[in-house]
Amino acid sequence: MTGKHPEIEAQHRQLIELFQQHRLTLFAGELGKALQQLQNLRQVQAEHIALEETELLPQLGAEARWPAKTYLAEHRKLEVMLAGLMRELQGLPGQTRDAALILSLLEREMPFKHVLEHHFEREEKALLHEC
Ligand SMILES: [Fe+2]
Ligand SMILES: [Fe+2]
């Protein structure tokens, strides 16, 4: 962690940790609590994205490795994916012992996890050094 924005990197670690906690809750079948954790994650993610879009992306120069629109598109994608995961949980009971359901929910969330990790990697490789 040698970027110029340790607070941004700390938020990345916080978001990864919040999602990990959510997955553990899901694994235990606590679907209601898992949904609340996603609502909290959405709030933290929204603040993080707003910070990057107001403080960092406007400073990105033409020589940047990836243009602002790349980061913006990924932010919108993360928001849409997270809303989809929340919608999925909203129609389910607060608790379940249905192992097949739990497994399918955990699998359903993997693409979000991958996009989130890939996005943070991109920012830590480029954006946080360039702004
Ligand atoms: Fe971002
Ligand atoms: Fe970020």
Side-chain angles (χ1 to χ4, degrees), residues 8-9 11-12 15 48-49 52 56 75 119-120 123-124 127-128:
I8 297 275
E9 293 186 38
Q11 288 173 6
H12 288 172
L15 282 158
H48 178 72
I49 285 175
E52 289 178 346
L56 298 184
H75 288 168
H119 177 70
F120 291 169
E123 289 178 338
E124 290 175 20
L127 179 68
L128 300 190

Side-chain angles (χ1 to χ4, degrees), residues 3-113:
K4 290 190 283 184
H5 301 279
E7 78 289 2
I8 297 275
E9 293 186 38
Q11 288 173 6
H12 288 172
R13 290 192 296 278
Q14 182 195 6
L15 282 158
I16 295 287
E17 176 61 23
L18 286 173
F19 194 62
Q20 175 78 354
Q21 289 302 323
H22 157 76
R23 290 185 347 113
L24 288 168
T25 303
L26 209 51
F27 187 66
E30 300 289 332
L31 306 187
K33 182 179 172 192
L35 175 57
Q36 285 175 5
Q37 287 171 316
L38 285 189
Q39 284 161 347
N40 179 47
L41 194 152
R42 181 173 62 173
Q43 185 59 36
V44 175
Q45 174 172 274
E47 288 165 16
H48 178 72
I49 285 175
L51 181 64
E52 289 178 346
E53 293 187 0
T54 56
E55 304 288 326
L56 298 184
L57 292 181
Q59 298 182 39
L60 205 57
E63 74 295 345
R65 182 155 171 193
W66 289 289
K69 69 174 182 188
T70 300
Y71 298 102
L72 291 168
E74 287 181 348
H75 288 168
R76 300 295 85 79
K77 185 173 184 179
L78 285 166
E79 288 165 350
V80 168
M81 290 176 95
L82 185 53
L85 299 187
M86 291 173 62
R87 232 179 356 258
E88 194 113 352
L89 287 176
Q90 269 155 7
L92 295 172
Q95 293 182 320
T96 185
R97 300 190 68 173
D98 182 342
L101 172 63
I102 292 170
L103 206 54
S104 76
L105 289 169
L106 286 165
E107 285 174 356
R108 163 84 172 77
E109 296 197 341
M110 285 312 286
F112 175 77
K113 183 172 187 284

